[in-house]
Amino acid sequence: MNTKDDFSSIINNYDKKIERLKKETKGEKISDDFVKEYNYFRSLLEITRSINAPRDFNQLLELIVDSAIMLTNAERGFLMLFRKDGNLEFRVTRNINKKTLEGEEFKISRSVVNQVLATSESLFLSAIYKDKKFKISESIEALGLRMVMCVPLKAKDHLLGLI
């Protein structure tokens, strides 16, 4: 059995369990939290299946960013990788509609990027404008950022870039 079949089997099994649950509850409303969790889990399986499908590297990077945007309900997403010279390079710049961003649309906060580069740890702030470290950042104010997530991309202990 190949990976595609494995994921299809898992998804089909969960779909059958949902149908069985609906029958057992005789049409009673299934909890919104359960449905939300199920849909999130199903999305993760679909994303994992897509990532494991053969494709070219740039398509894979776009899929990673598009998936991150979808799962987090973000407006925009960026993926930066280190070049051979050690500098970060934007490899994917996308919006919620899966369109490549250009010019003014893809400005980022360097203070967020620098923080993640310095610590090699993920950063998630749901109210970045309230955080003491970033409250004074001109880029955060200029961009009108409210929520930020930045994650280092690593292979073993080697930092490859950021998303």
Side-chain angles (χ1 to χ4, degrees), residues 1 11 17 78 93 98 101 112 123 130 133 144 149-150 153 155:
M1 186 179 274
I11 290 169
K17 287 179 182 179
F78 311 95
T93 59
K98 299 181 181 182
L101 300 174
V112 170
L123 177 70
K130 292 181 182 178
K133 284 184 201 168
M149 182 173 79
C150 187
L153 298 173

Side-chain angles (χ1 to χ4, degrees), residues 35 89 97 110 116 135 159:
V35 172
E89 168 185 43
N97 298 319
R110 290 284 176 189
V116 174
K135 199 171 190 174
L159 185 62

Side-chain angles (χ1 to χ4, degrees), residues 11-22 38:
I11 290 169
N12 287 335
N13 285 336
Y14 273 87
D15 286 343
K16 287 176 186 175
K17 287 179 182 179
I18 289 290
E19 289 306 313
R20 194 169 350 140
L21 182 62
K22 286 178 183 177
Y38 169 75

Side-chain angles (χ1 to χ4, degrees), residues 48-158:
T48 303
R49 178 171 53 181
S50 296
I51 287 172
N52 285 316
R55 66 181 77 251
D56 86 1
F57 187 64
N58 290 325
Q59 285 179 320
L60 176 62
L61 296 180
E62 288 176 354
L63 175 65
I64 290 168
V65 172
D66 290 343
S67 298
I69 290 170
M70 190 252 328
L71 289 171
T72 61
N73 290 320
E75 291 178 15
R76 301 175 291 173
F78 311 95
L79 190 144
M80 302 166 75
L81 295 177
F82 283 104
R83 295 188 309 227
K84 288 180 183 177
D85 66 6
N87 292 314
L88 276 173
E89 168 185 43
F90 283 101
R91 291 295 300 265
V92 179
T93 59
R94 306 276 274 190
N95 69 15
I96 196 167
N97 298 319
K98 299 181 181 182
K99 302 284 185 211
T100 298
L101 300 174
E102 296 179 15
E104 291 293 313
E105 292 180 303
F106 91 75
K107 289 185 177 180
I108 64 164
S109 171
R110 290 284 176 189
S111 55
V112 170
V113 168
N114 291 338
Q115 171 73 25
V116 174
L117 288 174
T119 63
S120 285
E121 293 181 9
S122 300
L123 177 70
F124 175 74
L125 295 169
S126 60
I128 193 166
Y129 52 91
K130 292 181 182 178
D131 188 274
K132 291 176 186 173
K133 284 184 201 168
F134 298 105
K135 199 171 190 174
I136 59 170
S137 171
E138 291 178 23
S139 62
I140 289 170
E141 187 175 327
L143 293 168
L145 298 179
R146 296 186 145 342
M147 185 183 320
V148 173
M149 182 173 79
C150 187
V151 179
L153 298 173
K154 296 180 183 179
K156 297 186 182 179
D157 288 332
H158 182 69

